[in-house]
């Protein structure tokens, strides 16, 4: 077995792992990223689409803002649609904040390009990744890459390996908090110009629908489906018919086009009680998951990384204050994100027909939507949370 050493071993080359390694590089801290999938696979994943204002500011500060500036779509707000009416919530007019449409796929591509140009060490297609000696001052990561067994010794290990990674399970006796939802999202990418200027979040009596986008030429749309639904049951024509039914309002046309990707994503809310175990830290989906309704998953990963990178940089400058505070600060912020994501999800999704309170819930949701869209204070609260809590 060959042995190597670095200051910070990062598990996972998703947005959290790649951004942390880039942030550490900017602070002069050496890191190695260990990823179990191929470069092609991580570049091909289609996921989040919205960047909070503070995410854009942090990526720009780190020199990763060119693509966002050129291709990102700055949105001043969102549309909430219910009872056949569409209401615009103007974050910029309300609180002076905005969000940017810029897909996670593009964020990852920007990070991969930056790392490649800088000569960063990213190990792809690693297998048998395991963590050891986490409660000592020399934790180790073992993995196999290119047929060679390697042991990487580091000062710290950061688990940025997502919900199904190896890092969180490496924490003994861990408590976790979670809830499921009786529905999922069927998402499509379509080669058609968006039919709306800003995102439409819609509660229809048949269920939730959303019109998002990726560019002036590519639309991203979602439908609520039962959580056991299979994509095979949804030919393209059925998807468009349902989107037309749920999103349609008088005087507005939803333009259709070729569907280039479709998938069903289950929903869960999940938080690990710990984001630290000895010299192991968790960041991003390795530590928490939110339903996508609040557009928080990617942004929460960026927030964790921002806090953790500050703490690690301070550590190497001789001050452990912010590193010691990481777990409590990141978890405190995450529960604010969790409650907002849960609120948006429960506000906009139809309870299943077999829920005997479904009709009551639907009318209560309509009442809540009518209150929110009729109250400046309620809309300011929505704007503050959707555009992102300050870091
Ligand atoms: P990621 O899961 O992105 O990355 C973890 C990385 O670790 C992956 O590359 C994985 O291959 C690697 N890894 C896993 N196990 C490993 C091991 N043992 N060894 C080495 N590497 C390992 N969020 C939104 O805000 N809006 C959305 O619409 C949205 N849609 C989503 C759709 C889907 C299908 C999924 C799964 C998530 C979605 N999310 C969405 C959430 C998503 O964007 C996450 O929040 C974001 O990817 C978090 O980034 P990471 O923490 O880096 O985790
Ligand atoms: C997306 O564009 O993929 C998207 C936007 C907003 C959300 C979730 C997903 O809340």
């Amino acid at each position: 077995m060959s042995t190597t050493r670095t200051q910070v071993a990062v598990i996972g080359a998703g947005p959290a792992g790649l951004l942390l390694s880039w942030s550490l590089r900017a602070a002069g801290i050496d890191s190695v990223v260990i990823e179990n999938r191929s470069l092609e696979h991580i570049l091909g994943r289609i996921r989040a689409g919205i960047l909070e204002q503070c995410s854009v500011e942090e990526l720009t500060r780190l020199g990763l803002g060119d693509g966002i500036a050129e291709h990102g779509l700055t949105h001043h707000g969102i549309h909430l649609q219910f009872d056949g009416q569409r209401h615009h919530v103007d974050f910029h007019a309300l609180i002076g904040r905005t969000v940017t449409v810029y897909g996670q796929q593009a964020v990852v591509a920007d990070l991969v390009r930056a790392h490649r140009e800088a000569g960063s060490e990213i190990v792809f297609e690693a297998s048998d990744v395991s963590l050891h000696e986490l409660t000592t001052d020399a934790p180790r990561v073992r993995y196999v890459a290119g047929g060679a067994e390697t042991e990487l010794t580091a000062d710290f290990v950061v688990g940025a390996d997502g919900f199904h990674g190896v890092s969180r399970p490496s924490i003994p006796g861990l408590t976790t908090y979670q809830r499921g939802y009786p529905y999922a999202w069927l998402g499509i990418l379509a080669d058609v110009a968006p039919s709306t200027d800003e995102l439409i979040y819609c509660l229809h009596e048949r269920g939730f629908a959303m019109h998002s986008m990726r560019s002036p030429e590519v639309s991203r749309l979602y439908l609520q489906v039962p959580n056991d639904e299979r994509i095979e049951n949804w030919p393209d024509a059925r998807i468009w018919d349902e989107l037309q039914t749920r999103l349609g309002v008088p005087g507005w046309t939803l333009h259709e086009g070729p569907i280039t990707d479709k998938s069903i994503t289950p929903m869960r809310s999940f938080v690990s009680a710990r984001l630290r175990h000895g010299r192991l830290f968790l960041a991003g989906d390795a530590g928490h998951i939110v339903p996508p309704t609040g557009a928080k998953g990617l942004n929460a990963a960026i927030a964790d990384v921002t806090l953790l990178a500050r703490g690690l940089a301070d550590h190497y400058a001789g001050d452990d204050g912010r590193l010691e505070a990481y777990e409590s600060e990141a978890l405190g912020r995450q529960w604010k994100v969790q409650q907002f994501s849960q609120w948006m999800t429960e506000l906009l999704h139809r309870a299943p027909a077999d829920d005997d309170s479904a009709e009551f819930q639907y009318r209560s949701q309509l009442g809540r939507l009518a209150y929110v869209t009729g109250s400046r204070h309620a809309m300011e609260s929505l704007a503050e949370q959707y555009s992102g809590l300050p870091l």
Side-chain angles (χ1 to χ4, degrees):
M1 178 183 298
S2 66
T3 59
T4 62
R5 197 191 191 293
T6 187
Q7 290 175 293
V8 181
V10 181
I11 315 299
L18 290 171
L19 182 60
L20 178 68
S21 179
W22 186 254
S23 302
L24 295 175
R25 168 181 282 274
I29 299 166
D30 183 50
S31 66
V32 174
V33 180
I34 299 159
E35 165 62 45
N36 67 349
R37 305 302 296 267
S38 68
L39 171 59
E40 294 68 32
H41 181 86
I42 70 159
L43 288 173
R45 274 194 290 233
I46 298 163
R47 287 191 177 168
I50 298 293
L51 292 176
E52 295 174 353
Q53 185 165 321
C54 46
S55 293
V56 172
E57 290 163 354
E58 178 66 1
L59 291 167
T60 303
R61 184 187 70 83
L62 289 165
L64 298 163
D66 292 351
I68 299 169
E70 186 178 354
H71 302 294
L73 304 173
T74 300
H75 282 192
H76 281 196
I78 60 173
H79 299 280
L80 290 178
Q81 181 174 320
F82 56 99
D83 251 351
Q85 299 280 325
R86 196 171 288 167
H87 305 259
H88 189 237
V89 181
D90 189 331
F91 305 156
H92 192 257
L94 287 161
I95 62 168
R97 310 272 295 167
T98 61
V99 293
T100 300
V101 175
Y102 192 70
Q104 175 172 323
Q105 207 173 1
V107 173
V108 170
D110 293 345
L111 281 160
V112 167
R113 186 181 313 110
H115 276 294
R116 182 180 288 151
E117 289 168 2
S120 301
E121 187 173 357
I122 303 176
V123 179
F124 288 102
E125 299 180 74
S127 60
D128 303 317
V129 179
S130 60
L131 312 185
H132 306 274
E133 315 293 330
L134 294 173
T135 56
T136 72
D137 60 3
R140 289 165 170 71
V141 179
R142 292 193 189 121
Y143 62 91
V144 177
E149 288 185 65
T150 301
E151 180 174 84
L152 174 66
T153 302
D155 299 331
F156 299 98
V157 178
V158 177
D161 46 349
F163 186 69
H164 300 290
V166 293
S167 298
R168 190 179 65 251
S170 300
I171 301 178
L174 183 64
T175 299
T176 61
Y177 307 98
Q178 55 192 316
R179 63 154 291 178
Y181 297 87
Y183 31 73
W185 274 16
L186 187 159
I188 66 167
L189 273 181
D191 281 345
V192 60
S195 302
T196 178
D197 56 346
E198 296 185 332
L199 272 56
I200 303 169
Y201 285 80
C202 171
L203 171 63
H204 186 275
E205 61 184 349
R206 291 175 61 87
F208 170 80
M210 178 164 73
H211 191 325
S212 183
M213 59 199 73
R214 284 293 177 272
S215 72
E217 298 76 33
V218 178
S219 293
R220 176 75 162 157
L221 297 110
Y222 294 95
L223 280 172
Q224 171 186 345
V225 294
N227 57 9
D228 58 356
E229 184 58 281
R230 296 164 49 82
I231 197 68
E232 296 76 29
N233 299 334
W234 287 85
D236 294 4
R238 183 186 177 196
I239 294 173
W240 283 118
D241 286 350
E242 195 63 30
L243 285 166
Q244 294 288 0
T245 300
R246 296 188 192 181
L247 289 170
V249 291
W252 177 76
T253 302
L254 171 61
H255 300 290
E256 303 182 8
I259 293 177
T260 58
D261 184 88
K262 55 181 167 184
S263 63
I264 291 179
T265 303
M267 285 194 178
R268 66 164 61 89
S269 297
F270 175 93
V271 184
S272 168
R274 304 302 310 271
L275 296 181
R276 179 177 191 173
H277 173 64
R279 289 288 182 113
L280 169 67
F281 291 90
L282 302 182
D285 278 14
H288 41 70
I289 295 283
V290 285
T293 327
K296 292 296 164 213
L298 172 59
N299 292 292
I302 293 171
D304 285 353
V305 165
T306 303
L307 295 172
L308 185 53
R310 289 173 184 167
L312 289 167
D314 284 1
H315 165 79
Y316 286 105
D319 176 359
D320 273 344
R322 288 203 286 193
L323 194 58
E324 293 300 321
Y326 168 71
E327 181 179 59
S328 61
E329 196 168 343
L331 283 175
R333 190 179 194 281
Q334 176 56 208
W335 278 111
K336 294 175 186 176
V337 165
Q338 287 284 338
Q339 63 80 29
F340 175 68
S341 301
Q342 180 179 350
W343 181 80
M344 282 283 279
T345 301
E346 292 172 338
L347 175 68
L348 291 160
H349 290 76
R350 200 69 164 87
D354 61 3
D355 180 333
D356 59 15
S357 70
E359 292 314 309
F360 175 87
Q361 288 183 56
Y362 179 57
R363 283 150 187 80
S364 175
Q365 288 166 272
L366 293 176
R368 185 173 295 167
L369 281 159
Y371 164 68
V372 169
T373 53
S375 160
R376 182 183 177 86
H377 301 297
M379 286 190 286
E380 284 175 347
S381 174
L382 168 56
E384 181 182 39
Q385 297 182 84
Y386 192 99
S387 62
L389 302 176
L391 268 170

